[in-house]
Amino acid sequence: MKENNKKIQSATAVILAVFVLAFSCAFFLMEKKEFSESENRYLSAFPEFSAETLKNGDFMEGVQTYLADHFPCRDMFMGLKAEAEIAAGKREINGIYIADDGYLIEAYKAPKNTEKIVGNFRKFYEAVKDEDVSVSLLLVPTASVIYAEKLPSFAQEPDQLGEREAIYARSGLPRIDCYGALMDKKDEMQLYYRTDHHWTSYGAYAAYTAYCEQTGIEPVMLEDLVAKEVSADFRGTIYSKLNDGRMGKDTITVFENPENQLTVFYTDTKETTDSLYNFEYLEKKDKYSLFLDNLHSLIEITNETADSERELVLIKDSYANSMVPFLVNHFKKIYVFDTRYYKQGPSSFIKEHPEVT
């Protein structure tokens, strides 16, 4: 019996050694990717060494992140881990709630740089308020607020709405409140994707109607637009944090006004098109990027058939990409800024373009 146990122990040790050696070789030999398409993010690079980073721990922390990001078969092991934890009854994994009705809802994290954000809002408003332009701020609640009833009972979410109110108050900007519109439509439409952190086109439309109501614009009715289901197998950023293949898929619907005559110019790539959508992204993992061709520093959109001569400057994150198809109906020209990439300053741009309303 002892001899058999020794053989089993020896065989186990050999198997483990071979396993560790194989993965070590795979790690060093395999090509290191800069970007993870499944997670839609850039992977960490090997950290630069210095006495200071070694002393303060940044170097070793960077090495650990690098090893985790480039571990062989990382996506597969993430999926296996998620499957095992869900089978064991867990409803919160890696900051993701396994919510009701097939929703994966990301736990809300309070912004760490609120003071800087509020300060930038205030500076911007002070810079342009004498330029004869109407300025407003729209803060979008996440799915964890709108679909709070779908969260597990143990979920303890920060007071996102309270933080939102504080930012509105301290920024001094006139507010556009879309919370009520989203709550009114939550039982009629799917407002957020089940596997992605963005809202759907229906969520964007609900916020668009709130914007119109609070700025005196007559919104276009949804039934007057052409709806197209362009994908039924979208798995977004939240799914990618679990990689559990048993999770469902989302449908992406886009809306178009056939009467619009659009010219869309991407200033960074110098490309011009007549569509607000780049359908080539439907062949990729990051299908949401079909809206406005993903991320650009500045996009100039002209609509020759808009219902006014107004011109809009839109300073936004990626949520607004799926709202622009509704806004174009009311503005002769829209300048779309992503200030993560546009460094010249939208306030200077507005001063140089007195036609902006």
Side-chain angles (χ1 to χ4, degrees), residues 56-311:
N56 63 23
D58 287 347
F59 178 75
M60 291 310 299
E61 183 178 341
V63 169
Q64 290 176 356
T65 303
Y66 175 79
L67 293 175
D69 271 4
H70 299 277
F71 190 80
C73 305
R74 183 173 185 271
D75 291 346
M76 181 188 73
F77 283 112
M78 284 174 60
L80 290 174
K81 175 177 178 289
E83 284 188 28
E85 290 182 321
I86 293 172
K90 286 195 69 173
R91 295 194 63 191
E92 190 275 320
I93 303 171
N94 297 335
I96 306 299
Y97 294 119
I98 313 302
D100 294 342
D101 300 326
Y103 278 86
L104 302 176
I105 297 180
E106 198 164 21
Y108 173 70
K109 294 180 181 178
K112 297 179 180 179
N113 53 347
T114 303
E115 290 299 323
K116 181 180 179 181
I117 293 170
V118 170
N120 287 339
F121 285 158
R122 208 180 287 126
K123 288 178 184 177
F124 171 78
Y125 190 40
E126 288 295 321
V128 302
K129 69 179 184 180
D130 295 328
E131 298 297 322
D132 195 28
V133 294
S134 173
V135 182
S136 56
L137 171 65
L138 190 157
L139 298 176
V140 181
T142 67
S144 64
V145 169
I146 303 303
Y147 290 140
E149 76 282 358
K150 298 183 186 297
L151 298 178
S153 58
F154 63 80
Q156 297 292 323
E157 284 287 281
D159 183 12
Q160 185 181 152
L161 292 179
E163 292 178 354
R164 196 180 67 121
E165 289 301 313
I167 292 175
Y168 271 134
R170 287 155 52 201
S171 70
L173 273 75
R175 69 166 62 192
I176 298 294
D177 190 354
C178 66
Y179 171 72
L182 291 168
M183 292 298 289
D184 287 344
K185 295 294 184 182
K186 61 184 287 188
D187 295 328
E188 298 178 27
M189 307 171 175
Q190 183 185 339
L191 303 180
Y192 293 80
Y193 294 107
R194 288 181 172 86
T195 67
D196 192 77
H197 66 285
H198 291 105
W199 55 14
T200 65
S201 294
Y202 293 101
Y205 179 78
Y208 153 79
T209 59
Y211 172 80
C212 290
E213 179 182 342
Q214 295 168 57
T215 55
I217 295 174
E218 184 69 28
V220 175
M221 294 295 100
L222 211 54
E223 54 267 25
D224 293 333
L225 301 173
V226 176
K228 296 180 181 178
E229 290 188 1
V230 295
S231 176
D233 62 351
F234 173 46
R235 283 173 166 168
T237 54
I238 303 180
Y239 167 85
S240 297
K241 294 183 179 181
L242 300 181
N243 261 334
D244 183 351
R246 298 175 303 171
M247 296 297 178
K249 300 176 182 179
D250 275 304
T251 296
I252 298 179
T253 302
V254 302
F255 290 90
E256 294 179 307
N257 184 343
E259 296 182 2
N260 285 338
Q261 296 180 17
L262 300 174
T263 302
V264 183
F265 176 59
Y266 298 99
T267 62
D268 48 3
T269 61
K270 308 303 180 186
E271 294 177 90
T272 302
T273 180
D274 61 355
S275 174
L276 299 169
Y277 307 107
N278 182 351
F279 294 111
E280 292 180 5
Y281 278 99
L282 295 176
E283 304 302 319
K284 302 180 180 180
K285 172 72 170 57
D286 182 22
K287 292 177 171 55
Y288 183 83
S289 290
L290 73 91
F291 295 99
L292 289 187
D293 191 45
N294 199 7
L295 303 175
H296 293 272
S297 57
L298 172 59
I299 308 170
E300 297 182 8
I301 304 170
T302 304
N303 184 7
E304 298 296 342
T305 57
D307 63 13
S308 80
E309 294 295 316
R310 290 172 295 210
E311 298 196 4

